[in-house]
Amino acid sequence: MRLNYRSLQQLFLVALSLLSPHAQADGQARQAAISAELERKWGEDWAFSGIATFAHVQHVKCLTEPNEPVDIGIIGAPFDTAVSYRPGARMGPRAIRTASARHIPSRGFNPHAKLNPYRSWARILDCGDIPVTPFDNAVAIRQMTEAYLELGSRPTTCVSKHCQGRKPKLITLGGDHLVALPALRALRQAYDQPLVLLHFDSHLDTLHPHNYPSAWASEQAQFNHGSVFWKATNEGLISNLSSVHAGINTRLSGDSWADFLDDDRQGFMRIPADAVDTVGTDGVIDAIRQKIGTELPVYLSIDIDVLDPAFAPGTGAPEPGGWTSREMIKILRGVSDLNIVGADIVEVAPAYDSAGGDTAFVVSPSRFSFVMLPSPSSPSHPHT
């Protein structure tokens, strides 16, 4: 009878249990050597091979594995039943993961960040998706809120007294922009204070729900991707002193400046998309940093339609005149030392993307991961 490797391994373990402690230790060392050799031979993937986890990082279904430590969790929120124009963002997490396969941890060193985010101190896991119902938005929001609360309570890899109490940081792959509301609810509870919002988007998303006029008004109509931060402000989730919209490039409703006036009352600073033509990316970075500072907890929310459709056509509400991907990457690099405690990348709708999936490729690089890493000199770093 021919035995395969697994059968031999099982026989080896049974025999090992019958041996003395010294023999068991020797056997365990041999087993570790065998495992290391198998990993050396078969553990590395090409960009086009392997299961489509985010950037080939390990997949753990974090919602059902409460004891798995995680420092940065990638979590999908395949939800798009709050859109006001083109649907399809529920397929965004899958498209982003597929595109992110281009980025392999063994080839992930970022010269600008001076680190490989996948091989730094942080344990980055692909936590899978929240199984969000497409039939009932009230239930969907409850599911996402409870999921974020669950994930925020997971252990980290902290081994030092200087990082005791450190919480996992989650990067959400959307989904439409309403997924930010349950994330902010969970973070408001976790940090016991309103969050600063750094919001990159062509649109304000602080619209009063009556800006979507209908004779069939309902309480559930308040939950839409254009009113998500109006709702969050009213719930006390967002700081009204330090929050920023950046990349705004949108029309207003009605016949006046009323949308901007309402946005002013909610306390946001607005940076229009065409500011890069006058102050450049450095000026945008300086304005954000002066408004927010580096101490307050920040939620980073990126709607992919902040980019011009030439760079990101696969989205539900494209706006010509947005930023280039290079401008966006440089701005993100410039704010990477903010105290970012959570983030999302939303509104990727692959049905409208180019044949090569260009929008998903823009979203997927490791550049969006390193902004979540504390610097090596940070007190939250486990080795300081």
Side-chain angles (χ1 to χ4, degrees):
M1 179 176 66
R2 183 177 180 181
L3 297 177
N4 60 23
Y5 172 78
R6 183 169 292 278
S7 299
L8 288 170
Q9 185 183 44
Q10 290 171 344
L11 287 173
F12 177 84
L13 293 173
V14 170
L16 182 63
S17 68
L18 303 175
L19 299 176
S20 67
H22 291 298
Q24 287 187 29
D26 290 342
Q28 288 168 350
R30 287 194 292 272
Q31 177 65 29
I34 291 171
S35 297
E37 175 62 12
L38 290 173
E39 179 65 23
R40 185 189 71 82
K41 290 174 66 176
W42 308 113
E44 188 70 37
D45 276 313
W46 294 99
F48 49 81
S49 67
I51 303 301
T53 67
F54 186 88
H56 297 274
V57 301
Q58 180 184 355
H59 169 241
V60 172
K61 197 168 185 179
C62 300
L63 285 168
T64 60
E65 299 289 341
N67 298 317
E68 281 282 350
V70 55
D71 296 305
I72 298 177
I74 311 297
I75 183 75
F79 170 87
D80 67 357
T81 51
V83 299
S84 57
Y85 186 37
R86 303 192 301 192
R90 71 180 65 178
M91 306 306 294
R94 180 171 294 182
I96 294 167
R97 285 189 175 100
T98 299
S100 74
R102 177 67 180 86
H103 303 276
I104 304 171
S106 63
R107 300 181 66 241
F109 183 78
N110 188 302
H112 297 289
K114 301 180 178 62
L115 59 81
N116 180 335
Y118 307 113
R119 292 188 170 181
S120 69
W121 61 266
R123 189 183 190 210
I124 303 178
L125 296 180
D126 188 328
C127 288
D129 287 349
I130 304 168
V132 187
T133 179
F135 304 125
D136 187 321
N137 281 5
V139 173
I141 292 169
R142 179 184 169 193
Q143 287 177 308
M144 289 187 280
T145 302
E146 292 192 16
Y148 289 123
L149 287 169
E150 279 278 348
L151 296 171
S153 68
R154 295 294 184 259
T156 67
T157 61
C158 170
V159 295
S160 165
K161 65 180 181 180
H162 296 292
C163 60
Q164 291 295 330
R166 191 179 67 203
K167 301 174 178 63
K169 297 182 180 183
L170 303 177
I171 302 178
T172 300
L173 310 180
D176 73 45
H177 220 147
L178 189 64
V179 305
L181 180 64
L184 285 165
R185 285 176 171 176
L187 287 167
R188 172 68 175 84
Q189 183 171 326
Y191 287 88
D192 196 30
Q193 66 182 87
L195 278 294
V196 173
L197 177 66
L198 175 53
H199 173 218
F200 292 98
D201 200 327
S202 278
H203 309 98
L204 296 171
D205 290 357
T206 54
L207 298 179
H208 191 288
H210 68 205
N211 284 304
Y212 298 99
S214 173
W216 308 91
S218 73
E219 183 178 350
Q220 285 303 312
Q222 294 183 6
F223 297 93
N224 66 76
H225 72 162
S227 301
V228 56
F229 297 130
W230 172 87
K231 186 72 174 172
T233 298
N234 287 345
E235 292 184 11
L237 309 180
I238 299 175
S239 167
N240 62 0
L241 299 175
S242 304
S243 294
V244 176
H245 301 301
I248 298 300
N249 177 38
T250 183
R251 298 172 303 281
L252 305 182
S253 61
D255 303 310
S256 71
W257 301 93
D259 290 347
F260 276 172
L261 295 174
D262 195 30
D263 191 64
D264 290 339
R265 284 190 287 270
Q266 294 175 59
F268 284 90
M269 180 179 81
R270 291 186 300 275
I271 302 174
D274 58 10
V276 295
D277 299 327
T278 52
V279 300
T281 53
D282 287 340
V284 172
I285 293 166
D286 289 344
I288 292 171
R289 291 173 59 83
Q290 289 176 21
K291 179 69 172 178
I292 293 177
T294 57
E295 300 298 324
L296 297 173
V298 176
Y299 185 76
L300 172 66
S301 188
I302 304 172
D303 187 324
I304 198 60
D305 69 30
V306 71
L307 301 184
D308 190 271
F311 301 90
T315 189
E319 297 288 353
W323 285 341
T324 69
S325 54
R326 182 170 60 187
E327 289 165 344
M328 184 69 200
I329 289 167
K330 184 175 180 183
I331 292 167
L332 280 177
R333 191 186 306 146
V335 301
S336 61
D337 64 341
L338 301 184
N339 183 20
I340 298 171
V341 299
D344 64 51
I345 303 170
V346 299
E347 301 285 358
V348 174
Y352 315 112
D353 208 354
S354 63
D358 292 330
T359 306
F361 272 109
V362 168
V363 171
S364 64
S366 60
R367 298 175 180 92
F368 293 104
S369 299
F370 78 70
V371 296
M372 300 290 282
L373 290 168
S375 68
S377 60
S378 168
S380 61
H381 191 279
H383 305 307
T384 56

